[in-house]
Amino acid sequence: MNEDKPVLLSGIKPTGEIHIGNYFGAIKQFVELLNDDSRQGFVFIADYHALNFIQDASEMKRLTRDLARAYIACGLDPEKVVLFKQSDVSAHTELAWIFDTITTMPYLMRAHAFKDAEAKNKEIVVGTFNYPMLMAADILLYDASVVPVGQDQKQHIEYARDTAEKFNRIFGETFRLPEPHILSDVAVVPGTDGRKMSKSYGNTIPLFASREQLADCVMGIVTDSGNDRPENVYAIHRLIKTEEELAPVYEEHKGKYKALKEALIDDLDAFIAPMRDRFESLTNDTEIDEILEKGAQVARSHSEHKMDTVRRAIGVR
Ligand code: ADP
Ligand code: TRP
């Protein structure tokens, strides 16, 4: 690996079926950014973050492998990118603890994710409260400079930056400040009900959906009556086609929501098919586990190097 290349890093929690919001909001960006070889890529499965939600061993295993398969199906090449599981690299949780000791409770209480979780359920777990510190560790361990994520993760990147600055101020220059990478036109992919697409809202279109599943999801898209153009259909259509390509279709079927939805089903199916085929062909669990173990070895060697500097800086070594 070339040490001089800027590091791109990103991760996703294995908490459910990957949907087109994850793809357009995050995965597509890092696959494209990693295609030109000018960056070193670290892409991981945030299983310790997911442990806040998934507390069933076989489910955790299945979702983890499926996310690895999804990354590869979307175009990540494990020969070029370090693809690994967070839990395989214990430096992540170790560094998160170190960050806990320089971070105040009121600061973490200002996090949107904490406030949302608290609003829904007063008895949130400490892991949810500390979530941003583990995420800061994920990013800062690898000196990442570019972190492609969806809009909802922007605050977490700011927390990582603040934490790096605070550590550097207390213990001396150690961490590089990361930048988020958010594309504005796909920053928030709408779901079938028009709200942000999210597995927690049950409004997703799965990325590897069969044509039948796609048809069900698209036919269920909530349409706003009284408008010639169904905005929720159009917004999803725009992710895969340009305005110029769509203009004649929407002109021809003005006000005919069913025909427009059928056009969207065709286009989504054509777009998804190659990734779906690849996803379905990756059935060998041993092969997936080997890819993740190989990635973990590289990630461990990078992170151990960084942890050596960190341990010296704080005086435990
Ligand atoms: P979910 O909201 O379905 O639980 P996650 O929180 O697991 O999704 O998100 C994984 C990644 O996908 C994150 O980088 C997130 O920003 C991105 N993402 C999720 N939903 C969307 C969306 N609707 N639009 C854009 N990006 C999204
Ligand atoms: N918090 C991110 C999400 O919910 C997942 C994540 C964990 C992540 N660690 C990260 C993303 C580090 C980018 C960088 O989607």
Side-chain angles (χ1 to χ4, degrees), residues 18-86:
I18 291 290
H19 53 74
I20 64 169
N22 302 137
Y23 179 73
F24 288 101
I27 303 178
K28 178 170 181 264
Q29 302 176 46
F30 51 79
V31 169
E32 283 175 3
L33 289 165
L34 287 169
N35 264 348
D36 68 3
D37 280 345
S38 65
R39 301 176 180 85
Q40 301 181 60
F42 287 85
V43 175
F44 67 98
I45 296 171
D47 52 353
Y48 273 162
H49 275 121
L51 190 57
N52 285 313
F53 312 91
I54 304 294
Q55 301 185 340
D56 175 304
S58 60
E59 190 66 353
M60 180 68 95
K61 273 207 182 92
R62 185 183 65 80
L63 290 169
T64 298
R65 288 194 182 115
D66 272 358
L67 182 51
R69 293 164 70 207
Y71 279 140
I72 298 167
C74 292
L76 275 190
D77 179 355
E79 294 294 322
K80 291 197 190 147
V81 173
V82 184
L83 181 58
F84 67 103
K85 293 203 309 266
Q86 186 184 37

Side-chain angles (χ1 to χ4, degrees), residues 10-13 15 17-27 29-30 131 148-153 186-191 195-200 204:
S10 198
I12 295 181
K13 302 186 294 291
T15 47
E17 206 173 18
I18 291 290
H19 53 74
I20 64 169
N22 302 137
Y23 179 73
F24 288 101
I27 303 178
Q29 302 176 46
F30 51 79
Y131 190 107
V149 283
Q151 183 69 36
D152 59 342
Q153 295 298 315
V186 292
V188 179
V189 175
R195 291 188 293 171
K196 171 192 179 263
M197 184 175 291
S198 171
K199 48 190 168 266
S200 40
T204 62

Side-chain angles (χ1 to χ4, degrees), residues 264-296:
L264 176 58
I265 294 167
D266 284 343
D267 289 338
L268 266 178
D269 189 46
F271 181 83
I272 283 176
M275 291 191 277
R276 183 175 59 206
D277 292 348
R278 181 101 178 90
F279 182 79
E280 281 167 7
S281 73
L282 295 166
T283 49
N284 186 336
D285 285 350
T286 315
E287 209 176 295
I288 298 291
D289 294 349
E290 278 168 12
I291 289 173
L292 293 177
E293 180 45 37
K294 231 175 95 195

Side-chain angles (χ1 to χ4, degrees), residues 5-301:
K5 285 189 187 175
V7 170
L8 178 151
L9 172 137
S10 198
I12 295 181
K13 302 186 294 291
T15 47
E17 206 173 18
I18 291 290
H19 53 74
I20 64 169
N22 302 137
Y23 179 73
F24 288 101
I27 303 178
K28 178 170 181 264
Q29 302 176 46
F30 51 79
V31 169
E32 283 175 3
L33 289 165
L34 287 169
N35 264 348
D36 68 3
D37 280 345
S38 65
R39 301 176 180 85
Q40 301 181 60
F42 287 85
V43 175
F44 67 98
I45 296 171
D47 52 353
Y48 273 162
H49 275 121
L51 190 57
N52 285 313
F53 312 91
I54 304 294
Q55 301 185 340
D56 175 304
S58 60
E59 190 66 353
M60 180 68 95
K61 273 207 182 92
R62 185 183 65 80
L63 290 169
T64 298
R65 288 194 182 115
D66 272 358
L67 182 51
R69 293 164 70 207
Y71 279 140
I72 298 167
C74 292
L76 275 190
D77 179 355
E79 294 294 322
K80 291 197 190 147
V81 173
V82 184
L83 181 58
F84 67 103
K85 293 203 309 266
Q86 186 184 37
S87 62
D88 279 338
V89 185
S90 49
H92 290 237
T93 43
E94 182 180 352
L95 185 57
W97 172 261
I98 295 171
F99 289 158
D100 279 348
T101 67
I102 61 167
T103 303
T104 68
M105 302 240 313
Y107 175 75
L108 285 179
M109 284 163 135
R110 286 198 291 275
H112 305 315
F114 166 73
K115 287 202 269 189
D116 293 350
E118 207 197 20
K120 282 191 215 134
N121 173 8
K122 297 268 174 245
E123 300 208 331
I124 68 159
V125 295
V126 176
T128 297
F129 184 62
N130 272 350
Y131 190 107
M133 293 298 101
L134 181 55
M135 180 150 164
D138 297 338
I139 296 169
L140 300 177
L141 261 181
Y142 300 92
D143 290 316
S145 49
V146 186
V147 186
V149 283
Q151 183 69 36
D152 59 342
Q153 295 298 315
K154 190 163 181 250
Q155 192 193 36
H156 284 148
I157 315 280
E158 281 156 14
Y159 270 51
R161 285 176 68 90
D162 286 354
T163 305
E165 271 178 333
K166 190 161 185 186
F167 186 102
N168 291 349
R169 209 163 51 238
I170 300 173
F171 297 110
E173 201 59 30
T174 307
F175 292 112
R176 163 196 279 276
L177 304 192
E179 293 288 346
H181 178 94
I182 297 167
L183 293 183
S184 56
D185 57 341
V186 292
V188 179
V189 175
T192 52
D193 59 359
R195 291 188 293 171
K196 171 192 179 263
M197 184 175 291
S198 171
K199 48 190 168 266
S200 40
Y201 296 153
N203 63 355
T204 62
I205 301 181
L207 182 58
F208 305 111
S210 64
R211 189 181 168 95
E212 294 68 40
Q213 267 179 299
L214 278 177
D216 277 351
C217 295
V218 171
M219 285 303 169
I221 294 178
V222 176
T223 45
D224 27 9
S225 56
N227 193 340
D228 281 347
R229 190 170 85 181
E231 291 304 330
N232 294 336
V233 175
Y234 185 76
I236 295 174
H237 225 154
R238 271 289 286 115
L239 297 168
I240 47 177
K241 288 261 159 119
T242 62
E243 260 170 55
E244 294 69 34
E245 286 169 322
L246 291 180
V249 182
Y250 281 72
E251 187 51 40
E252 186 190 339
H253 300 297
K254 219 179 202 168
K256 295 185 202 130
Y257 294 178
K258 183 151 180 282
L260 290 168
K261 284 181 170 179
E262 277 161 1
L264 176 58
I265 294 167
D266 284 343
D267 289 338
L268 266 178
D269 189 46
F271 181 83
I272 283 176
M275 291 191 277
R276 183 175 59 206
D277 292 348
R278 181 101 178 90
F279 182 79
E280 281 167 7
S281 73
L282 295 166
T283 49
N284 186 336
D285 285 350
T286 315
E287 209 176 295
I288 298 291
D289 294 349
E290 278 168 12
I291 289 173
L292 293 177
E293 180 45 37
K294 231 175 95 195
Q297 283 171 14
V298 182
R300 277 194 290 264
S301 111

